[in-house]
Structure formats: structure tokens, C-alpha cells
Amino acid sequence: MSDCIFCKIVTGEIPAKKLYEDDEVVAFWDIAPQAPVHFLVIPKKHLAAPVDVTEQDDQVIGKMIRVGARLAAENGVADGFRVIFNNGKKAGQVVFHIHMHIIGGREKPWPM
Ligand code: AMP
């Protein structure tokens, strides 16, 4: 997708502080972190939102969760982190390339 900012992070057109990359997924620090540890894991393949995931994406979505959990542990929040996919504007999705937030290290209670 030529106008997708996360596709541009995949290609390197837009810089990002990457934690991990392989042939299928990229993880990078969120530009506006909501907690001390806040990064995103995305598939390199453009899918707009969770609702667009099909059976052929099952493997990469599982990998995103596995990679995210490992990186959470490597960044000191193995004992507690949130795994969030927003789907749609009404849920607060602003970037329409599917992404998984990993958020941890929050001192205040979680809102929900
Ligand atoms: P969402 O509300 O689920 O669509 O979340 C999109 C997330 O992407 C937000 O937390 C933004 O801070 C983050 N974000 C947007 N642009 C960038 C970027 N260029 N690099 C890193 N994170 C970004």
C-alpha cells in the first residue's frame, strides 16, 4: 500500500526504532508511548485491520504474539504486559495496517 505509513516502515522509507525484524514481521517502538514499554508488532504483509485476517494469515498472527511476548520479556516486563489490537475507528484505530501493541511497565492501575 503506497500511502500506508507502516508499509513505509517495512520498506525503510520511514525510519523507526526497530527491536526485531524477519521476513514476515517487524517490531518497533511506538512513537507516542503510553507506558515505559510500548512497542508495536506488525506483519510485513499489508492487512488493514484484525477484521481482514483470513485463514492464510493464522501463522503470521501467531508469530506476532510469540515475538511480542519474547520482546516484552527482553525489555523487562515479562511479569505483566498488555497485548492490544484495535479494530476500527470506533475502537481508536488510527493506523490502518494491522498492528499489535505490547504495553507494559505502567505504574498506575490499568484503565480496563
Ligand atoms: P492505533 O490507535 O491502534 O491505530 O495505534 C497506532 C499507533 O501507532 C499509535 O500508538 C501511534 O503512536 C503509533 N505510531 C504512529 N505512527 C508511528 C510511527 N511512525 N512510528 C512508531 N509508531 C507510530
Short mmCIF file of all heavy atoms in Angstrom, two decimals, residues 83-108:
data_model
loop_
_atom_site.label_atom_id
_atom_site.label_comp_id
_atom_site.label_asym_id
_atom_site.label_seq_id
_atom_site.Cartn_x
_atom_site.Cartn_y
_atom_site.Cartn_z
N VAL A 83 -1.56 -6.87 25.51
CA VAL A 83 -1.46 -7.21 24.08
C VAL A 83 -2.75 -6.70 23.45
O VAL A 83 -3.82 -7.21 23.76
CB VAL A 83 -1.34 -8.74 23.89
CG1 VAL A 83 -1.23 -9.09 22.41
CG2 VAL A 83 -0.14 -9.29 24.67
N ILE A 84 -2.63 -5.66 22.63
CA ILE A 84 -3.85 -4.98 22.15
C ILE A 84 -3.85 -4.86 20.63
O ILE A 84 -2.87 -4.40 20.03
CB ILE A 84 -3.96 -3.57 22.77
CG1 ILE A 84 -4.07 -3.66 24.29
CG2 ILE A 84 -5.14 -2.79 22.18
CD1 ILE A 84 -3.86 -2.34 25.02
N PHE A 85 -4.95 -5.26 20.05
CA PHE A 85 -5.23 -4.98 18.63
C PHE A 85 -6.45 -4.07 18.62
O PHE A 85 -7.51 -4.45 19.14
CB PHE A 85 -5.62 -6.25 17.88
CG PHE A 85 -4.52 -7.21 17.58
CD1 PHE A 85 -4.17 -8.19 18.49
CD2 PHE A 85 -3.85 -7.17 16.36
CE1 PHE A 85 -3.17 -9.12 18.20
CE2 PHE A 85 -2.85 -8.09 16.06
CZ PHE A 85 -2.51 -9.07 16.97
N ASN A 86 -6.36 -2.90 18.04
CA ASN A 86 -7.54 -2.07 17.85
C ASN A 86 -8.11 -2.36 16.47
O ASN A 86 -7.36 -2.50 15.49
CB ASN A 86 -7.18 -0.58 17.97
CG ASN A 86 -6.81 -0.20 19.39
OD1 ASN A 86 -7.37 -0.74 20.35
ND2 ASN A 86 -5.87 0.71 19.55
N ASN A 87 -9.41 -2.46 16.41
CA ASN A 87 -10.08 -2.71 15.13
C ASN A 87 -11.12 -1.64 14.86
O ASN A 87 -12.15 -1.60 15.53
CB ASN A 87 -10.76 -4.09 15.13
CG ASN A 87 -11.31 -4.43 13.75
OD1 ASN A 87 -10.65 -5.09 12.97
ND2 ASN A 87 -12.50 -3.97 13.44
N GLY A 88 -10.81 -0.76 13.92
CA GLY A 88 -11.79 0.24 13.50
C GLY A 88 -11.69 1.55 14.26
O GLY A 88 -11.22 1.61 15.40
N LYS A 89 -12.13 2.61 13.59
CA LYS A 89 -12.05 3.97 14.17
C LYS A 89 -12.76 4.06 15.52
O LYS A 89 -12.28 4.72 16.44
CB LYS A 89 -12.69 4.98 13.20
CG LYS A 89 -11.77 5.35 12.05
CD LYS A 89 -12.34 6.51 11.25
CE LYS A 89 -11.38 6.82 10.10
NZ LYS A 89 -12.05 7.09 8.84
N LYS A 90 -13.89 3.40 15.65
CA LYS A 90 -14.65 3.49 16.91
C LYS A 90 -13.90 2.88 18.08
O LYS A 90 -14.20 3.17 19.23
CB LYS A 90 -16.02 2.82 16.76
CG LYS A 90 -17.02 3.65 16.01
CD LYS A 90 -18.41 3.05 16.11
CE LYS A 90 -19.43 3.95 15.47
NZ LYS A 90 -20.77 3.31 15.42
N ALA A 91 -12.94 2.01 17.78
CA ALA A 91 -12.12 1.39 18.83
C ALA A 91 -10.80 2.13 19.00
O ALA A 91 -9.94 1.70 19.76
CB ALA A 91 -11.88 -0.07 18.51
N GLY A 92 -10.63 3.22 18.25
CA GLY A 92 -9.41 4.01 18.39
C GLY A 92 -8.32 3.65 17.40
O GLY A 92 -7.19 4.14 17.54
N GLN A 93 -8.63 2.83 16.40
CA GLN A 93 -7.59 2.52 15.41
C GLN A 93 -7.36 3.75 14.53
O GLN A 93 -8.31 4.29 13.96
CB GLN A 93 -7.99 1.32 14.54
CG GLN A 93 -6.86 0.90 13.59
CD GLN A 93 -7.21 -0.31 12.73
OE1 GLN A 93 -8.33 -0.81 12.73
NE2 GLN A 93 -6.23 -0.77 11.97
N VAL A 94 -6.09 4.18 14.45
CA VAL A 94 -5.77 5.33 13.60
C VAL A 94 -4.83 4.96 12.46
O VAL A 94 -4.75 5.69 11.47
CB VAL A 94 -5.18 6.52 14.42
CG1 VAL A 94 -6.21 7.06 15.40
CG2 VAL A 94 -3.92 6.14 15.15
N VAL A 95 -4.12 3.87 12.60
CA VAL A 95 -3.25 3.40 11.50
C VAL A 95 -3.85 2.12 10.95
O VAL A 95 -4.00 1.12 11.68
CB VAL A 95 -1.80 3.16 11.99
CG1 VAL A 95 -0.95 2.61 10.84
CG2 VAL A 95 -1.18 4.45 12.53
N PHE A 96 -4.18 2.15 9.66
CA PHE A 96 -4.88 1.02 9.05
C PHE A 96 -3.94 0.06 8.35
O PHE A 96 -4.10 -0.25 7.16
CB PHE A 96 -6.05 1.53 8.20
CG PHE A 96 -7.18 1.97 9.10
CD1 PHE A 96 -7.18 3.24 9.66
CD2 PHE A 96 -8.18 1.08 9.48
CE1 PHE A 96 -8.17 3.64 10.55
CE2 PHE A 96 -9.17 1.47 10.37
CZ PHE A 96 -9.17 2.75 10.91
N HIS A 97 -2.97 -0.39 9.14
CA HIS A 97 -2.12 -1.54 8.83
C HIS A 97 -2.12 -2.30 10.15
O HIS A 97 -1.67 -1.74 11.18
CB HIS A 97 -0.72 -1.10 8.42
CG HIS A 97 0.24 -2.22 8.08
ND1 HIS A 97 0.92 -2.28 6.88
CD2 HIS A 97 0.63 -3.32 8.79
CE1 HIS A 97 1.70 -3.36 6.87
NE2 HIS A 97 1.54 -4.01 8.02
N ILE A 98 -2.63 -3.49 10.17
CA ILE A 98 -2.83 -4.22 11.43
C ILE A 98 -1.55 -4.17 12.28
O ILE A 98 -0.45 -4.34 11.77
CB ILE A 98 -3.29 -5.67 11.16
CG1 ILE A 98 -3.74 -6.34 12.46
CG2 ILE A 98 -2.21 -6.48 10.47
CD1 ILE A 98 -4.40 -7.71 12.22
N HIS A 99 -1.74 -3.92 13.57
CA HIS A 99 -0.60 -3.86 14.48
C HIS A 99 -1.02 -4.32 15.86
O HIS A 99 -2.15 -4.11 16.28
CB HIS A 99 -0.02 -2.44 14.54
CG HIS A 99 -1.04 -1.38 14.79
ND1 HIS A 99 -1.82 -0.86 13.79
CD2 HIS A 99 -1.43 -0.77 15.93
CE1 HIS A 99 -2.64 0.05 14.30
NE2 HIS A 99 -2.43 0.11 15.61
N MET A 100 -0.09 -4.92 16.53
CA MET A 100 -0.31 -5.40 17.90
C MET A 100 0.51 -4.53 18.83
O MET A 100 1.72 -4.42 18.69
CB MET A 100 0.17 -6.86 17.98
CG MET A 100 -0.12 -7.54 19.28
SD MET A 100 0.53 -9.22 19.24
CE MET A 100 2.27 -8.90 19.51
N HIS A 101 -0.19 -3.87 19.77
CA HIS A 101 0.51 -3.09 20.79
C HIS A 101 0.97 -4.05 21.90
O HIS A 101 0.19 -4.89 22.35
CB HIS A 101 -0.43 -2.09 21.45
CG HIS A 101 -0.97 -1.02 20.56
ND1 HIS A 101 -0.48 0.27 20.56
CD2 HIS A 101 -1.99 -1.02 19.66
CE1 HIS A 101 -1.18 1.02 19.71
NE2 HIS A 101 -2.10 0.25 19.16
N ILE A 102 2.19 -3.88 22.35
CA ILE A 102 2.64 -4.51 23.59
C ILE A 102 2.96 -3.36 24.54
O ILE A 102 3.80 -2.50 24.23
CB ILE A 102 3.91 -5.37 23.39
CG1 ILE A 102 3.64 -6.52 22.42
CG2 ILE A 102 4.45 -5.86 24.74
CD1 ILE A 102 3.00 -7.75 23.03
N ILE A 103 2.25 -3.33 25.67
CA ILE A 103 2.37 -2.20 26.60
C ILE A 103 2.61 -2.75 28.01
O ILE A 103 1.82 -3.56 28.51
CB ILE A 103 1.09 -1.34 26.58
CG1 ILE A 103 0.73 -0.95 25.14
CG2 ILE A 103 1.27 -0.10 27.44
CD1 ILE A 103 -0.57 -0.16 25.03
N GLY A 104 3.69 -2.28 28.63
CA GLY A 104 4.00 -2.76 29.97
C GLY A 104 4.79 -1.75 30.77
O GLY A 104 5.21 -0.70 30.26
N GLY A 105 4.97 -2.06 32.05
CA GLY A 105 5.76 -1.20 32.92
C GLY A 105 4.98 -0.03 33.47
O GLY A 105 5.55 0.91 34.03
N ARG A 106 3.65 -0.09 33.34
CA ARG A 106 2.81 1.01 33.82
C ARG A 106 2.74 1.00 35.34
O ARG A 106 2.51 -0.06 35.94
CB ARG A 106 1.42 0.83 33.20
CG ARG A 106 0.44 1.94 33.42
CD ARG A 106 -0.89 1.54 32.78
NE ARG A 106 -1.99 2.28 33.34
CZ ARG A 106 -2.54 3.34 32.74
NH1 ARG A 106 -2.10 3.73 31.57
NH2 ARG A 106 -3.54 3.97 33.30
N GLU A 107 2.90 2.18 35.97
CA GLU A 107 2.82 2.27 37.44
C GLU A 107 1.37 2.37 37.91
O GLU A 107 0.97 1.73 38.88
CB GLU A 107 3.59 3.50 37.94
CG GLU A 107 5.08 3.48 37.62
CD GLU A 107 5.81 2.36 38.34
OE1 GLU A 107 5.37 1.96 39.42
OE2 GLU A 107 6.83 1.87 37.80
N LYS A 108 0.57 3.18 37.19
CA LYS A 108 -0.83 3.39 37.58
C LYS A 108 -1.64 2.14 37.23
O LYS A 108 -1.25 1.36 36.36
CB LYS A 108 -1.41 4.58 36.79
CG LYS A 108 -0.83 5.91 37.18
CD LYS A 108 -1.45 7.03 36.36
CE LYS A 108 -0.91 7.05 34.95
NZ LYS A 108 -1.40 8.16 34.13
#
